[in-house]
Amino acid sequence: MKVGFIGLGRMGSGMAANLLKAGHTVTVHNRTQERAEALVQAGAGLATDVAHACRDADTVFSMLANDEAVREVVFGEGGVLAALPEGAVHVSSSTISVALAGELQSAHGEAGQGYVSAPVFGRPDAAAAGKLFVVAAGADDAVAKVAPLLEAIGQKTFGVSATPQAANLVKLSGNF
């Protein structure tokens, strides 16, 4: 699958690396391009901007710090919403508000794109090892399309709802 990946912090870098290891074609973007160097050396393409990461992608992941960063990347000029092809899916693994997840679902739906909220649980070492726990919510067809990608980044995916916002409500406790 052709995957764009936006946000290469401590969690995103490990997630993107596991998508590469699983054999997917991955194009990465980060505000600080130096964070992409190891992934590019491992075989990822380097996107010069958000739109480039989305171009020709079947799926684009975002793993960003907060609502503000996600809004900028999705709704900003040359953002995910404008650049992602019709029929492609945006997977947000960022920790975002329920309200923003609802806005993303509506906006992507109007653009003919899929949207899956898929926050992850685990530390950076778990991300690097592909051992995250993923909580996924979205339309059945969108979740099914990205299931192989979620399997590549995590040890278990919990499908919680056809409504993306439900994944952003989940609070897990105890040991896994």
Side-chain angles (χ1 to χ4, degrees):
M1 199 176 299
K2 291 182 181 178
V3 181
F5 204 103
I6 302 165
L8 301 174
R10 295 175 14 180
M11 296 294 284
S13 293
M15 294 166 66
N18 283 306
L19 292 168
L20 275 172
K21 288 176 195 170
H24 300 286
T25 302
V26 181
T27 302
V28 296
H29 175 70
N30 197 74
R31 286 182 308 187
T32 309
Q33 285 193 357
E34 295 79 38
R35 290 204 175 188
E37 289 174 4
L39 289 163
V40 170
Q41 290 176 3
L46 178 62
T48 54
D49 56 28
V50 170
H52 183 193
C54 295
R55 208 171 293 130
D56 301 321
D58 300 307
T59 301
V60 66
F61 273 79
S62 58
M63 185 56 161
L64 303 164
N66 53 35
D67 280 17
E68 182 181 334
V70 173
R71 279 184 195 286
E72 181 181 327
V73 163
V74 174
F75 297 113
E77 187 176 333
V80 172
L81 192 62
L84 193 65
E86 189 171 328
V89 178
H90 173 205
V91 177
S92 175
S93 291
S94 308
T95 300
I96 59 171
S97 68
V98 172
L100 180 55
E103 289 176 48
L104 292 170
Q105 177 189 16
S106 295
H108 283 299
E110 289 173 16
Q113 303 158 345
Y115 174 69
V116 174
S117 276
V120 296
F121 293 85
R123 309 236 352 114
D125 58 332
K131 298 293 183 186
L132 294 169
F133 290 93
V134 182
V135 178
D140 290 342
D141 60 335
V143 173
K145 182 175 182 173
V146 302
L149 304 174
L150 301 178
E151 289 171 13
I153 66 167
Q155 62 179 304
K156 182 154 179 67
T157 299
F158 299 91
V160 295
S161 177
T163 304
Q165 300 91 310
N168 302 95
L169 288 169
V170 174
K171 294 190 189 303
L172 299 179
S173 62
N175 296 323
F176 291 98

